[in-house]
Amino acid sequence: EKRPKETKHFKVPGTPVEGADLKKYKGVPAIVNGQAEITLHLSSSETTLSTDQINEIGKLFGQAMTRKLKLDVSVAGVESFHADGSDALDKSVIVLWTAGSVDDGGALQAMLQRKAGEIERSIEDLLAEQGFDWLTRSAAWSKISLSYYGPQASSLSKGHKLVQEIGHKQGAESENGSPPYAPLK
């Protein structure tokens, strides 16, 4: 199966934080949470996903993120929908999640950028390993927010919150390798 190529050309919806600016976040604690969109390509247009199946997708996403990021990822909510204009066999599952806090948000931010493709593949591979007869393939995207706090956070010139996007949404370019960004206010 062909995977999307990683790119450094994704235009972040905010102010990119790179190089020396990103290094200022090293050693600063942060609260971590996010949302994900898992696009499932179903084996038949007759397939409808039960609440249990949708919740299982959320649980598997949380397991993959916990393994790859070494965080205690907790799934807060899961919802499923069919996106207008997408293939009739595609179903999207939205996962809202939290992961508590980390002592070094900057190190996590750098790892997210460096290992984005690996994280994306681990989510997709874990779903494939389940052998669901109703699933032919999946695509994973996640927006991870780090809210920095503590005495050092007051001197962060790009703000207290950085967002990192990984993976790819249905019909979009891969966001792997893109820089974290400070959201527009």
Side-chain angles (χ1 to χ4, degrees), residues 135-181:
L135 180 65
T136 59
R137 68 178 180 277
S138 65
W141 168 87
S142 190
K143 178 193 257 182
I144 300 137
S145 299
L146 280 79
S147 298
Y148 291 84
Y149 65 92
Q152 293 171 285
S154 62
S155 64
L156 297 171
S157 62
K158 299 293 183 181
H160 297 198
K161 181 177 182 178
L162 293 184
V163 177
Q164 178 77 45
E165 296 186 35
I166 62 173
H168 68 281
K169 285 187 173 183
Q170 181 69 20
E173 291 293 320
S174 173
E175 296 171 18
N176 295 338
S178 64
Y181 60 91

mmCIF file of all heavy atoms in Angstrom, residues 135-181:
data_model
loop_
_atom_site.group_PDB
_atom_site.id
_atom_site.type_symbol
_atom_site.label_atom_id
_atom_site.label_comp_id
_atom_site.label_asym_id
_atom_site.label_seq_id
_atom_site.Cartn_x
_atom_site.Cartn_y
_atom_site.Cartn_z
ATOM 1 N N LEU A 135 -12.678 -3.428 7.581
ATOM 2 C CA LEU A 135 -11.712 -2.352 7.323
ATOM 3 C C LEU A 135 -10.694 -2.777 6.265
ATOM 4 O O LEU A 135 -10.054 -3.804 6.399
ATOM 5 C CB LEU A 135 -10.980 -2.004 8.624
ATOM 6 C CG LEU A 135 -9.927 -0.895 8.559
ATOM 7 C CD1 LEU A 135 -10.574 0.442 8.234
ATOM 8 C CD2 LEU A 135 -9.185 -0.813 9.888
ATOM 9 N N THR A 136 -10.546 -1.952 5.206
ATOM 10 C CA THR A 136 -9.524 -2.265 4.199
ATOM 11 C C THR A 136 -8.257 -1.441 4.404
ATOM 12 O O THR A 136 -7.168 -1.903 4.098
ATOM 13 C CB THR A 136 -10.053 -2.052 2.762
ATOM 14 O OG1 THR A 136 -10.468 -0.702 2.605
ATOM 15 C CG2 THR A 136 -11.217 -2.987 2.466
ATOM 16 N N ARG A 137 -8.384 -0.211 4.918
ATOM 17 C CA ARG A 137 -7.207 0.617 5.226
ATOM 18 C C ARG A 137 -7.657 1.803 6.076
ATOM 19 O O ARG A 137 -8.846 2.087 6.188
ATOM 20 C CB ARG A 137 -6.492 1.082 3.966
ATOM 21 C CG ARG A 137 -7.259 2.069 3.122
ATOM 22 C CD ARG A 137 -6.460 2.523 1.892
ATOM 23 N NE ARG A 137 -7.213 3.465 1.110
ATOM 24 C CZ ARG A 137 -8.137 3.169 0.215
ATOM 25 N NH1 ARG A 137 -8.423 1.906 -0.021
ATOM 26 N NH2 ARG A 137 -8.777 4.106 -0.452
ATOM 27 N N SER A 138 -6.673 2.492 6.625
ATOM 28 C CA SER A 138 -6.988 3.666 7.442
ATOM 29 C C SER A 138 -5.948 4.752 7.201
ATOM 30 O O SER A 138 -4.868 4.488 6.669
ATOM 31 C CB SER A 138 -7.027 3.288 8.925
ATOM 32 O OG SER A 138 -5.747 2.877 9.357
ATOM 33 N N ALA A 139 -6.290 5.951 7.600
ATOM 34 C CA ALA A 139 -5.367 7.090 7.547
ATOM 35 C C ALA A 139 -5.528 7.849 8.867
ATOM 36 O O ALA A 139 -6.650 8.057 9.340
ATOM 37 C CB ALA A 139 -5.700 8.006 6.373
ATOM 38 N N ALA A 140 -4.407 8.235 9.461
ATOM 39 C CA ALA A 140 -4.442 8.884 10.766
ATOM 40 C C ALA A 140 -3.882 10.305 10.694
ATOM 41 O O ALA A 140 -2.881 10.559 10.035
ATOM 42 C CB ALA A 140 -3.642 8.067 11.773
ATOM 43 N N TRP A 141 -4.552 11.216 11.390
ATOM 44 C CA TRP A 141 -4.110 12.604 11.543
ATOM 45 C C TRP A 141 -4.360 12.988 12.990
ATOM 46 O O TRP A 141 -5.357 12.564 13.589
ATOM 47 C CB TRP A 141 -4.918 13.513 10.617
ATOM 48 C CG TRP A 141 -4.735 14.981 10.896
ATOM 49 C CD1 TRP A 141 -3.757 15.788 10.386
ATOM 50 C CD2 TRP A 141 -5.542 15.811 11.734
ATOM 51 N NE1 TRP A 141 -3.905 17.068 10.872
ATOM 52 C CE2 TRP A 141 -5.000 17.102 11.705
ATOM 53 C CE3 TRP A 141 -6.658 15.583 12.524
ATOM 54 C CZ2 TRP A 141 -5.538 18.165 12.416
ATOM 55 C CZ3 TRP A 141 -7.196 16.642 13.239
ATOM 56 C CH2 TRP A 141 -6.641 17.915 13.177
ATOM 57 N N SER A 142 -3.474 13.769 13.558
ATOM 58 C CA SER A 142 -3.706 14.264 14.908
ATOM 59 C C SER A 142 -3.139 15.664 15.071
ATOM 60 O O SER A 142 -2.097 15.997 14.506
ATOM 61 C CB SER A 142 -3.075 13.330 15.957
ATOM 62 O OG SER A 142 -3.508 13.694 17.250
ATOM 63 N N LYS A 143 -3.861 16.459 15.826
ATOM 64 C CA LYS A 143 -3.424 17.802 16.204
ATOM 65 C C LYS A 143 -3.142 17.738 17.703
ATOM 66 O O LYS A 143 -4.040 17.451 18.493
ATOM 67 C CB LYS A 143 -4.515 18.821 15.912
ATOM 68 C CG LYS A 143 -4.156 20.236 16.330
ATOM 69 C CD LYS A 143 -5.385 21.128 16.306
ATOM 70 C CE LYS A 143 -5.385 21.998 15.102
ATOM 71 N NZ LYS A 143 -6.552 22.907 15.082
ATOM 72 N N ILE A 144 -1.889 17.958 18.064
ATOM 73 C CA ILE A 144 -1.451 17.831 19.445
ATOM 74 C C ILE A 144 -1.133 19.226 19.981
ATOM 75 O O ILE A 144 -0.337 19.956 19.386
ATOM 76 C CB ILE A 144 -0.207 16.921 19.532
ATOM 77 C CG1 ILE A 144 -0.574 15.539 18.973
ATOM 78 C CG2 ILE A 144 0.296 16.822 20.959
ATOM 79 C CD1 ILE A 144 0.452 14.942 18.097
ATOM 80 N N SER A 145 -1.784 19.580 21.084
ATOM 81 C CA SER A 145 -1.578 20.893 21.697
ATOM 82 C C SER A 145 -0.777 20.756 22.980
ATOM 83 O O SER A 145 -1.064 19.886 23.803
ATOM 84 C CB SER A 145 -2.929 21.545 22.033
ATOM 85 O OG SER A 145 -3.690 21.740 20.876
ATOM 86 N N LEU A 146 0.214 21.602 23.128
ATOM 87 C CA LEU A 146 0.990 21.667 24.357
ATOM 88 C C LEU A 146 0.813 23.054 24.944
ATOM 89 O O LEU A 146 1.108 24.064 24.280
ATOM 90 C CB LEU A 146 2.477 21.402 24.098
ATOM 91 C CG LEU A 146 2.852 19.923 23.963
ATOM 92 C CD1 LEU A 146 2.513 19.398 22.590
ATOM 93 C CD2 LEU A 146 4.314 19.729 24.264
ATOM 94 N N SER A 147 0.284 23.110 26.155
ATOM 95 C CA SER A 147 0.091 24.380 26.862
ATOM 96 C C SER A 147 1.177 24.465 27.930
ATOM 97 O O SER A 147 1.163 23.725 28.924
ATOM 98 C CB SER A 147 -1.301 24.426 27.495
ATOM 99 O OG SER A 147 -2.291 24.358 26.493
ATOM 100 N N TYR A 148 2.120 25.352 27.711
ATOM 101 C CA TYR A 148 3.285 25.491 28.585
ATOM 102 C C TYR A 148 2.932 26.321 29.816
ATOM 103 O O TYR A 148 2.153 27.274 29.725
ATOM 104 C CB TYR A 148 4.439 26.142 27.806
ATOM 105 C CG TYR A 148 4.982 25.226 26.737
ATOM 106 C CD1 TYR A 148 4.384 25.148 25.477
ATOM 107 C CD2 TYR A 148 6.068 24.410 26.999
ATOM 108 C CE1 TYR A 148 4.872 24.282 24.508
ATOM 109 C CE2 TYR A 148 6.559 23.543 26.039
ATOM 110 C CZ TYR A 148 5.951 23.486 24.787
ATOM 111 O OH TYR A 148 6.436 22.624 23.842
ATOM 112 N N TYR A 149 3.514 25.944 30.953
ATOM 113 C CA TYR A 149 3.219 26.651 32.195
ATOM 114 C C TYR A 149 4.477 26.712 33.066
ATOM 115 O O TYR A 149 5.498 26.110 32.750
ATOM 116 C CB TYR A 149 2.063 25.967 32.941
ATOM 117 C CG TYR A 149 2.372 24.568 33.417
ATOM 118 C CD1 TYR A 149 2.890 24.348 34.691
ATOM 119 C CD2 TYR A 149 2.147 23.459 32.599
ATOM 120 C CE1 TYR A 149 3.187 23.062 35.130
ATOM 121 C CE2 TYR A 149 2.431 22.177 33.035
ATOM 122 C CZ TYR A 149 2.947 21.981 34.302
ATOM 123 O OH TYR A 149 3.232 20.720 34.732
ATOM 124 N N GLY A 150 4.354 27.438 34.161
ATOM 125 C CA GLY A 150 5.474 27.571 35.100
ATOM 126 C C GLY A 150 6.243 28.854 34.854
ATOM 127 O O GLY A 150 5.970 29.602 33.904
ATOM 128 N N PRO A 151 7.223 29.119 35.712
ATOM 129 C CA PRO A 151 7.980 30.372 35.631
ATOM 130 C C PRO A 151 8.642 30.607 34.273
ATOM 131 O O PRO A 151 8.650 31.728 33.768
ATOM 132 C CB PRO A 151 9.036 30.238 36.726
ATOM 133 C CG PRO A 151 8.545 29.172 37.633
ATOM 134 C CD PRO A 151 7.645 28.293 36.822
ATOM 135 N N GLN A 152 9.183 29.547 33.657
ATOM 136 C CA GLN A 152 9.863 29.717 32.365
ATOM 137 C C GLN A 152 8.880 30.058 31.236
ATOM 138 O O GLN A 152 9.265 30.663 30.245
ATOM 139 C CB GLN A 152 10.615 28.443 31.990
ATOM 140 C CG GLN A 152 11.786 28.133 32.893
ATOM 141 C CD GLN A 152 12.317 26.758 32.569
ATOM 142 O OE1 GLN A 152 11.707 25.759 32.921
ATOM 143 N NE2 GLN A 152 13.445 26.716 31.874
ATOM 144 N N ALA A 153 7.629 29.679 31.381
ATOM 145 C CA ALA A 153 6.647 29.891 30.317
ATOM 146 C C ALA A 153 6.387 31.380 30.059
ATOM 147 O O ALA A 153 6.059 31.764 28.933
ATOM 148 C CB ALA A 153 5.335 29.181 30.648
ATOM 149 N N SER A 154 6.565 32.213 31.078
ATOM 150 C CA SER A 154 6.289 33.642 30.907
ATOM 151 C C SER A 154 7.252 34.313 29.935
ATOM 152 O O SER A 154 6.950 35.365 29.380
ATOM 153 C CB SER A 154 6.320 34.354 32.260
ATOM 154 O OG SER A 154 7.603 34.248 32.829
ATOM 155 N N SER A 155 8.409 33.705 29.690
ATOM 156 C CA SER A 155 9.394 34.322 28.791
ATOM 157 C C SER A 155 9.373 33.724 27.376
ATOM 158 O O SER A 155 10.240 34.040 26.564
ATOM 159 C CB SER A 155 10.791 34.191 29.390
ATOM 160 O OG SER A 155 11.148 32.823 29.469
ATOM 161 N N LEU A 156 8.395 32.883 27.062
ATOM 162 C CA LEU A 156 8.322 32.271 25.735
ATOM 163 C C LEU A 156 7.723 33.272 24.748
ATOM 164 O O LEU A 156 6.543 33.603 24.825
ATOM 165 C CB LEU A 156 7.487 30.985 25.787
ATOM 166 C CG LEU A 156 8.061 29.880 26.684
ATOM 167 C CD1 LEU A 156 7.060 28.747 26.829
ATOM 168 C CD2 LEU A 156 9.376 29.383 26.133
ATOM 169 N N SER A 157 8.551 33.741 23.830
ATOM 170 C CA SER A 157 8.146 34.825 22.936
ATOM 171 C C SER A 157 7.043 34.440 21.946
ATOM 172 O O SER A 157 6.321 35.298 21.466
ATOM 173 C CB SER A 157 9.358 35.354 22.165
ATOM 174 O OG SER A 157 9.891 34.322 21.358
ATOM 175 N N LYS A 158 6.894 33.174 21.651
ATOM 176 C CA LYS A 158 5.873 32.736 20.692
ATOM 177 C C LYS A 158 4.582 32.314 21.382
ATOM 178 O O LYS A 158 3.668 31.799 20.755
ATOM 179 C CB LYS A 158 6.385 31.588 19.813
ATOM 180 C CG LYS A 158 7.597 31.949 18.978
ATOM 181 C CD LYS A 158 7.251 32.972 17.921
ATOM 182 C CE LYS A 158 8.476 33.240 17.064
ATOM 183 N NZ LYS A 158 8.254 34.222 16.042
ATOM 184 N N GLY A 159 4.526 32.504 22.700
ATOM 185 C CA GLY A 159 3.309 32.202 23.439
ATOM 186 C C GLY A 159 3.386 30.930 24.248
ATOM 187 O O GLY A 159 4.343 30.165 24.154
ATOM 188 N N HIS A 160 2.355 30.710 25.040
ATOM 189 C CA HIS A 160 2.303 29.585 25.969
ATOM 190 C C HIS A 160 1.746 28.325 25.345
ATOM 191 O O HIS A 160 1.775 27.274 25.979
ATOM 192 C CB HIS A 160 1.439 29.939 27.176
ATOM 193 C CG HIS A 160 1.984 31.063 27.981
ATOM 194 N ND1 HIS A 160 1.588 31.307 29.255
ATOM 195 C CD2 HIS A 160 2.906 32.010 27.707
ATOM 196 C CE1 HIS A 160 2.225 32.349 29.731
ATOM 197 N NE2 HIS A 160 3.024 32.799 28.798
ATOM 198 N N LYS A 161 1.218 28.415 24.142
ATOM 199 C CA LYS A 161 0.607 27.237 23.517
ATOM 200 C C LYS A 161 1.210 27.012 22.138
ATOM 201 O O LYS A 161 1.284 27.924 21.319
ATOM 202 C CB LYS A 161 -0.897 27.430 23.388
ATOM 203 C CG LYS A 161 -1.602 26.229 22.778
ATOM 204 C CD LYS A 161 -3.107 26.444 22.746
ATOM 205 C CE LYS A 161 -3.810 25.238 22.177
ATOM 206 N NZ LYS A 161 -5.260 25.403 22.191
ATOM 207 N N LEU A 162 1.655 25.760 21.895
ATOM 208 C CA LEU A 162 2.122 25.358 20.574
ATOM 209 C C LEU A 162 1.297 24.158 20.121
ATOM 210 O O LEU A 162 0.883 23.332 20.936
ATOM 211 C CB LEU A 162 3.599 24.972 20.582
ATOM 212 C CG LEU A 162 4.618 26.069 20.854
ATOM 213 C CD1 LEU A 162 6.030 25.512 20.730
ATOM 214 C CD2 LEU A 162 4.425 27.256 19.938
ATOM 215 N N VAL A 163 1.086 24.074 18.828
ATOM 216 C CA VAL A 163 0.317 22.985 18.244
ATOM 217 C C VAL A 163 1.196 22.279 17.222
ATOM 218 O O VAL A 163 1.961 22.922 16.496
ATOM 219 C CB VAL A 163 -0.960 23.535 17.563
ATOM 220 C CG1 VAL A 163 -1.741 22.430 16.886
ATOM 221 C CG2 VAL A 163 -1.829 24.265 18.576
ATOM 222 N N GLN A 164 1.087 20.957 17.182
ATOM 223 C CA GLN A 164 1.820 20.161 16.197
ATOM 224 C C GLN A 164 0.822 19.258 15.500
ATOM 225 O O GLN A 164 0.030 18.588 16.156
ATOM 226 C CB GLN A 164 2.878 19.304 16.900
ATOM 227 C CG GLN A 164 3.663 18.416 15.975
ATOM 228 C CD GLN A 164 4.715 19.176 15.199
ATOM 229 O OE1 GLN A 164 5.421 19.984 15.770
ATOM 230 N NE2 GLN A 164 4.810 18.931 13.918
ATOM 231 N N GLU A 165 0.834 19.240 14.180
ATOM 232 C CA GLU A 165 -0.043 18.351 13.422
ATOM 233 C C GLU A 165 0.801 17.260 12.776
ATOM 234 O O GLU A 165 1.877 17.533 12.249
ATOM 235 C CB GLU A 165 -0.825 19.136 12.374
ATOM 236 C CG GLU A 165 -1.761 20.150 13.020
ATOM 237 C CD GLU A 165 -2.669 20.855 12.044
ATOM 238 O OE1 GLU A 165 -3.105 20.231 11.059
ATOM 239 O OE2 GLU A 165 -2.961 22.040 12.286
ATOM 240 N N ILE A 166 0.296 16.033 12.863
ATOM 241 C CA ILE A 166 0.996 14.899 12.268
ATOM 242 C C ILE A 166 0.008 14.065 11.468
ATOM 243 O O ILE A 166 -1.195 14.129 11.685
ATOM 244 C CB ILE A 166 1.702 14.022 13.331
ATOM 245 C CG1 ILE A 166 0.690 13.414 14.302
ATOM 246 C CG2 ILE A 166 2.764 14.810 14.062
ATOM 247 C CD1 ILE A 166 1.286 12.410 15.272
ATOM 248 N N GLY A 167 0.530 13.282 10.546
ATOM 249 C CA GLY A 167 -0.319 12.416 9.733
ATOM 250 C C GLY A 167 -0.919 13.170 8.573
ATOM 251 O O GLY A 167 -0.403 14.197 8.141
ATOM 252 N N HIS A 168 -2.024 12.652 8.072
ATOM 253 C CA HIS A 168 -2.699 13.340 6.977
ATOM 254 C C HIS A 168 -4.192 13.091 7.044
ATOM 255 O O HIS A 168 -4.644 12.015 7.388
ATOM 256 C CB HIS A 168 -2.134 12.924 5.614
ATOM 257 C CG HIS A 168 -2.435 11.506 5.248
ATOM 258 N ND1 HIS A 168 -1.740 10.439 5.745
ATOM 259 C CD2 HIS A 168 -3.387 10.990 4.434
ATOM 260 C CE1 HIS A 168 -2.222 9.319 5.255
ATOM 261 N NE2 HIS A 168 -3.232 9.609 4.464
ATOM 262 N N LYS A 169 -4.923 14.153 6.753
ATOM 263 C CA LYS A 169 -6.374 14.050 6.667
ATOM 264 C C LYS A 169 -6.732 13.522 5.288
ATOM 265 O O LYS A 169 -5.956 13.662 4.337
ATOM 266 C CB LYS A 169 -7.023 15.417 6.849
ATOM 267 C CG LYS A 169 -7.033 15.902 8.276
ATOM 268 C CD LYS A 169 -7.839 17.176 8.365
ATOM 269 C CE LYS A 169 -8.028 17.605 9.792
ATOM 270 N NZ LYS A 169 -8.858 18.790 9.903
ATOM 271 N N GLN A 170 -7.917 12.973 5.189
ATOM 272 C CA GLN A 170 -8.414 12.464 3.917
ATOM 273 C C GLN A 170 -8.293 13.537 2.840
ATOM 274 O O GLN A 170 -8.753 14.653 3.019
ATOM 275 C CB GLN A 170 -9.880 12.032 4.086
ATOM 276 C CG GLN A 170 -10.509 11.455 2.862
ATOM 277 C CD GLN A 170 -9.935 10.098 2.502
ATOM 278 O OE1 GLN A 170 -9.344 9.423 3.316
ATOM 279 N NE2 GLN A 170 -10.115 9.712 1.269
ATOM 280 N N GLY A 171 -7.633 13.212 1.742
ATOM 281 C CA GLY A 171 -7.524 14.129 0.609
ATOM 282 C C GLY A 171 -6.515 15.250 0.778
ATOM 283 O O GLY A 171 -6.422 16.124 -0.063
ATOM 284 N N ALA A 172 -5.748 15.241 1.854
ATOM 285 C CA ALA A 172 -4.783 16.317 2.095
ATOM 286 C C ALA A 172 -3.359 15.760 2.060
ATOM 287 O O ALA A 172 -3.145 14.560 2.140
ATOM 288 C CB ALA A 172 -5.049 16.958 3.452
ATOM 289 N N GLU A 173 -2.408 16.668 1.940
ATOM 290 C CA GLU A 173 -0.995 16.288 1.991
ATOM 291 C C GLU A 173 -0.617 15.873 3.404
ATOM 292 O O GLU A 173 -1.237 16.294 4.375
ATOM 293 C CB GLU A 173 -0.120 17.482 1.575
ATOM 294 C CG GLU A 173 -0.230 17.855 0.123
ATOM 295 C CD GLU A 173 0.340 16.796 -0.795
ATOM 296 O OE1 GLU A 173 1.393 16.221 -0.464
ATOM 297 O OE2 GLU A 173 -0.277 16.543 -1.833
ATOM 298 N N SER A 174 0.435 15.104 3.521
ATOM 299 C CA SER A 174 0.953 14.717 4.826
ATOM 300 C C SER A 174 1.470 15.960 5.550
ATOM 301 O O SER A 174 2.065 16.845 4.943
ATOM 302 C CB SER A 174 2.099 13.724 4.652
ATOM 303 O OG SER A 174 2.699 13.474 5.904
ATOM 304 N N GLU A 175 1.226 16.001 6.837
ATOM 305 C CA GLU A 175 1.704 17.112 7.651
ATOM 306 C C GLU A 175 2.960 16.731 8.422
ATOM 307 O O GLU A 175 3.480 17.513 9.209
ATOM 308 C CB GLU A 175 0.584 17.570 8.577
ATOM 309 C CG GLU A 175 -0.573 18.110 7.740
ATOM 310 C CD GLU A 175 -1.827 18.402 8.514
ATOM 311 O OE1 GLU A 175 -1.768 18.516 9.741
ATOM 312 O OE2 GLU A 175 -2.871 18.532 7.882
ATOM 313 N N ASN A 176 3.457 15.520 8.170
ATOM 314 C CA ASN A 176 4.663 15.063 8.851
ATOM 315 C C ASN A 176 5.850 15.925 8.458
ATOM 316 O O ASN A 176 6.036 16.252 7.297
ATOM 317 C CB ASN A 176 4.932 13.602 8.517
ATOM 318 C CG ASN A 176 3.849 12.696 9.039
ATOM 319 O OD1 ASN A 176 3.135 13.058 9.970
ATOM 320 N ND2 ASN A 176 3.701 11.535 8.443
ATOM 321 N N GLY A 177 6.629 16.288 9.459
ATOM 322 C CA GLY A 177 7.800 17.119 9.220
ATOM 323 C C GLY A 177 7.514 18.606 9.300
ATOM 324 O O GLY A 177 8.428 19.410 9.279
ATOM 325 N N SER A 178 6.240 18.983 9.400
ATOM 326 C CA SER A 178 5.917 20.399 9.519
ATOM 327 C C SER A 178 6.291 20.880 10.924
ATOM 328 O O SER A 178 6.321 20.096 11.871
ATOM 329 C CB SER A 178 4.434 20.647 9.240
ATOM 330 O OG SER A 178 3.634 20.019 10.215
ATOM 331 N N PRO A 179 6.574 22.168 11.061
ATOM 332 C CA PRO A 179 6.989 22.665 12.374
ATOM 333 C C PRO A 179 5.790 22.837 13.305
ATOM 334 O O PRO A 179 4.651 22.987 12.844
ATOM 335 C CB PRO A 179 7.595 24.031 12.040
ATOM 336 C CG PRO A 179 6.853 24.473 10.833
ATOM 337 C CD PRO A 179 6.602 23.214 10.044
ATOM 338 N N PRO A 180 6.047 22.840 14.613
ATOM 339 C CA PRO A 180 4.980 23.235 15.524
ATOM 340 C C PRO A 180 4.662 24.704 15.258
ATOM 341 O O PRO A 180 5.466 25.416 14.650
ATOM 342 C CB PRO A 180 5.591 23.041 16.914
ATOM 343 C CG PRO A 180 7.049 22.968 16.704
ATOM 344 C CD PRO A 180 7.290 22.568 15.297
ATOM 345 N N TYR A 181 3.498 25.142 15.704
ATOM 346 C CA TYR A 181 3.143 26.542 15.474
ATOM 347 C C TYR A 181 2.353 27.106 16.639
ATOM 348 O O TYR A 181 1.729 26.377 17.404
ATOM 349 C CB TYR A 181 2.355 26.702 14.176
ATOM 350 C CG TYR A 181 1.043 25.927 14.112
ATOM 351 C CD1 TYR A 181 -0.151 26.520 14.524
ATOM 352 C CD2 TYR A 181 1.002 24.635 13.639
ATOM 353 C CE1 TYR A 181 -1.338 25.814 14.454
ATOM 354 C CE2 TYR A 181 -0.187 23.925 13.564
ATOM 355 C CZ TYR A 181 -1.362 24.526 13.985
ATOM 356 O OH TYR A 181 -2.544 23.833 13.926
#
